[in-house]
Amino acid sequence: MMAVILPRTVRRAAEAALSLHSVPPRAACHFARSLGGVSSACSMEFVSWQNGGGILHRAASVDPTAVVEAGAVVHSGAVLGKEVVVGSGAVVGPSVSIGQSTRVGYNVVLSNCSVGEFCIIHNGSSIGQDGFGFFVDEAGQVKKKPQMLCARIGDHVEIGANTCIDRGSWRETTVGNHTKIDNLVQIGHNVVIGKCCMICGQVGIAGSATLGDYVTLGGRVAIRDHVSVASKVRLAANSLVTKDIQEPGDYGGFPAVPINEWRRQIANLRLFSKKASVKR
């Protein structure tokens, strides 16, 4: 069954880690090197974790109550708190920290980030990868901007399946406590999201945007880069925020305006459409 579920390289790594406990160090290194897929196992010193069967680097700090399931990998310098669960296929990158009782789903990738306590990260999410930052130089070539900072996830945050949260470049990407994020959401680099926000599916938040507390974004809302949204703002589905929203309240439309204004726009558009069809 394991051979069917796990990719070949992960399966080889798991087999090598299990074998490292049963053979002398030099023999273990030679055996790991012979597998090809884990050629650096000797230098990185990965071993099997007794609570779940996943693979840990010896330099990782893992609480004895943490569960690292088979096929998961925890890298050097990572910190896993009490009662953390890391699902099969997940990767916890170097120096990533995960707080108490947080659950990490299958095939989640965590890098350049910290995750608070009592969080839920659903299957396939990716946190801490480089943001989409590029510029065109004098020669007309597209160059990558440095992405050197981290993503910080607060406590009691829930992140839906296949959601991506980029690391920061000039400030850290931050998600506040008790914020809930749906599936298939894209949060760009340097974005700051306050506490107790609700972000529905397929929302896209471009880089360096700032959201206050208690913000609600309906499905497929788009927020352009460097825009600020005040606390206690609610945006209707399919809205586009093109400039700062400074007052709390309900907004909608493309571009987003106060909800009553947007409703008048829709009503006038329907009326105009009916009149135009009569004239024809």
Side-chain angles (χ1 to χ4, degrees):
M1 187 67 177
M2 183 64 69
V4 176
I5 296 174
L6 297 178
R8 182 179 301 173
T9 56
V10 174
R11 187 171 71 251
R12 286 179 172 178
E15 293 168 353
L18 291 172
S19 302
L20 291 177
H21 286 289
S22 58
V23 294
R26 290 188 179 179
C29 292
H30 176 74
F31 173 68
R33 205 176 290 117
S34 68
L35 289 176
V38 287
S39 59
S40 61
C42 183
S43 61
M44 299 191 71
E45 295 184 342
F46 283 99
V47 296
S48 179
W49 181 241
Q50 76 279 0
N51 196 4
I55 301 173
L56 267 62
H57 193 283
R58 293 184 186 275
S61 176
V62 181
D63 189 275
T65 61
V67 176
V68 181
E69 295 181 356
V73 180
V74 178
H75 285 264
S76 172
V79 178
L80 274 60
K82 185 178 180 181
E83 297 176 348
V84 166
V85 177
V86 180
S88 296
V91 177
V92 180
S95 302
V96 169
S97 65
I98 304 176
Q100 176 182 346
S101 299
T102 287
R103 301 182 65 86
V104 178
Y106 304 144
N107 298 316
V108 170
V109 178
L110 303 178
S111 58
N112 311 299
C113 68
S114 66
V115 181
E117 300 179 346
F118 302 98
C119 296
I120 301 174
I121 304 176
H122 290 280
N123 303 340
S125 295
S126 183
I127 301 175
Q129 66 282 340
D130 284 357
F132 192 74
F134 300 90
F135 68 96
V136 179
D137 65 8
E138 294 84 355
Q141 296 181 336
V142 178
K143 299 294 185 179
K144 184 178 179 68
K145 292 181 179 179
Q147 309 287 307
M148 303 297 293
L149 301 180
C150 298
R152 305 291 181 190
I153 311 300
D155 299 333
H156 299 277
V157 173
E158 185 160 346
I159 298 172
N162 295 314
T163 285
C164 295
I165 302 176
D166 296 342
R167 67 192 295 199
S169 59
W170 63 269
R171 69 177 178 183
E172 292 184 338
T173 304
T174 305
V175 178
N177 296 340
H178 295 277
T179 286
K180 312 300 181 185
I181 302 172
D182 200 359
N183 303 335
L184 296 168
V185 172
Q186 164 63 28
I187 298 175
H189 56 185
N190 314 314
V191 169
V192 173
I193 298 174
K195 66 181 181 181
C196 299
C197 295
M198 300 284 289
I199 300 176
C200 297
Q202 298 187 20
V203 164
I205 305 176
S208 303
T210 302
L211 275 62
D213 301 331
Y214 301 97
V215 172
T216 300
L217 305 182
R220 301 186 70 183
V221 164
I223 298 179
R224 64 158 293 177
D225 57 302
H226 298 276
V227 162
S228 294
V229 177
S231 296
K232 298 183 179 179
V233 166
R234 299 193 303 176
L235 280 152
N238 292 305
S239 300
L240 169 63
V241 179
T242 59
K243 60 183 180 180
D244 293 352
I245 296 178
Q246 300 176 346
E247 298 293 332
D250 295 345
Y251 294 79
F254 189 100
V257 293
I259 198 74
N260 289 333
E261 182 180 343
W262 177 54
R263 288 169 178 165
R264 286 194 296 270
Q265 290 175 358
I266 296 300
N268 290 334
L269 181 61
R270 288 177 178 174
L271 183 61
F272 177 79
S273 178
K274 287 181 181 179
K275 289 181 178 180
S277 62
V278 169
K279 290 181 179 180
R280 290 175 187 172

